[in-house]
Amino acid sequence: MKKGDLIKFQPGKEVVLTVITVLLMWIGYYGDTNNFKGNELYGLIVSMGCIVLGLCVAFPAWWVVVHQKEGIQGLGITTKKMGLSLIFTAVLATWRYFEIREYIGQEGFVTTLLYNGLAIWEVMFIFGWLFTRYQKAFGKIPAIGLTAISVGIYHIGTLSVEGILSLCLVIIICSLCYGITNNIFTLWPVYWTIGCSASTLKSGMVFPAEMIPLSAIVLAIQIVIIGMIQWRYIKKSRKDTVDRGVYQE
């Protein structure tokens, strides 16, 4: 690994965009938790539509894959270092498992696991977007801290100070592993199912069975969005290759 991969200073418009998305995430998160809690219309249109599908998946995927021409591997969706990723996810999941053992068998335990296991959107936003953009601008080491700080910022007003600090520590540990593999499967779905459920259950929350079908539908939509964006990228790349060949002739 080159020294420039660890620490560098090449900020650009991507950093500005990244900070804007963090602030938008905070506004949406705060509104969902405080101002519009229980409002189904807000939850469907703003939380699911604008935040989950738009801000966390569609925009990062379009920007990274098409605009920056990095392909889905730029989002961490890759099979590279898969073996190491599986080792990391097993270790991380085992670490957080000890936090949920006491909840096994309680009402809502299984549905909470299922709901969090289907939630790829936050993994995409935190690691496929925030971490990769910070890493590109500042290197892996600063990216770890900046990603944790960003996640802490958009939880202001929804978690206690102690809760935010604890969450930032978890993100730092996850970022260390992700920074080595740059593979989203380091964290999802195995670790994310256990880790998020640990945080959810410890906060006193559970996700009811009624939310599982909606979560599954949202996951399917996210996969379709990413697939379509990647298809457009491949199509455009092939066209550019053909055009360059014709021009050279």
Side-chain angles (χ1 to χ4, degrees):
M1 186 180 295
K2 299 177 182 178
K3 184 178 179 181
D5 293 334
L6 297 177
I7 300 176
K8 58 185 173 181
F9 190 76
Q10 298 173 354
K13 61 183 177 181
E14 275 195 317
V15 174
V16 177
L17 279 175
T18 303
V19 172
I20 290 173
T21 59
V22 171
L23 296 177
L24 289 174
M25 187 68 163
W26 171 67
I27 292 170
Y29 229 70
Y30 186 88
D32 188 43
T33 309
N34 297 281
N35 302 98
F36 300 96
K37 188 175 182 179
N39 187 314
E40 293 183 2
L41 186 61
Y42 180 92
L44 185 63
I45 296 176
V46 179
S47 297
M48 288 294 183
C50 297
I51 301 299
V52 172
L53 294 177
L55 183 64
C56 294
V57 177
F59 174 71
W62 173 81
W63 181 270
V64 173
V65 176
V66 178
H67 188 272
Q68 296 299 95
K69 300 179 181 180
E70 296 178 26
I72 56 174
Q73 61 268 25
L75 296 167
I77 303 175
T78 178
T79 56
K80 292 181 178 179
K81 297 185 178 180
M82 184 61 80
L84 186 58
S85 296
L86 295 177
I87 292 173
F88 279 150
T89 201
V91 172
L92 290 170
T94 301
W95 160 49
R96 299 304 299 278
Y97 167 75
F98 291 102
E99 298 179 41
I100 66 171
R101 286 187 303 174
E102 61 184 285
Y103 301 100
I104 295 176
Q106 292 187 13
E107 184 178 356
F109 175 77
V110 174
T111 53
T112 298
L113 286 177
L114 289 172
Y115 180 85
N116 285 316
L118 292 168
I120 192 177
W121 57 272
E122 195 165 21
V123 186
M124 286 284 296
F125 183 71
I126 296 174
F127 300 98
W129 172 245
L130 297 182
F131 184 89
T132 60
R133 297 311 96 186
Y134 289 140
Q135 176 182 250
K136 187 177 178 182
F138 304 110
K140 290 181 182 291
I141 294 176
I144 292 170
L146 290 170
T147 301
I149 291 170
S150 296
V151 174
I153 287 173
Y154 76 73
H155 280 88
I156 293 174
T158 60
L159 292 179
S160 65
V161 174
E162 181 182 347
I164 290 174
L165 292 175
S166 177
L167 177 61
C168 287
L169 177 59
V170 170
I171 296 300
I172 287 172
I173 294 171
C174 290
S175 295
L176 281 167
C177 296
Y178 183 82
I180 294 172
T181 65
N182 282 107
N183 185 323
I184 204 166
F185 298 109
T186 300
L187 301 167
W188 185 87
V190 178
Y191 166 73
W192 213 250
T193 299
I194 304 297
C196 280
S197 295
S199 299
T200 302
L201 294 167
K202 286 171 68 177
S203 70
M205 291 176 57
V206 293
F207 291 109
E210 299 79 45
M211 295 187 69
I212 305 305
L214 177 60
S215 186
I217 291 171
V218 170
L219 174 61
I221 294 173
Q222 292 171 77
I223 293 173
V224 170
I225 290 172
I226 295 169
M228 289 177 65
I229 291 174
Q230 175 68 0
W231 176 79
R232 180 183 173 185
Y233 163 73
I234 293 173
K235 185 178 179 181
K236 190 175 185 302
S237 297
R238 287 174 177 172
K239 183 179 181 301
D240 291 344
T241 301
V242 171
D243 291 343
R244 283 196 298 270
V246 172
Y247 177 76
Q248 289 173 357
E249 291 178 3

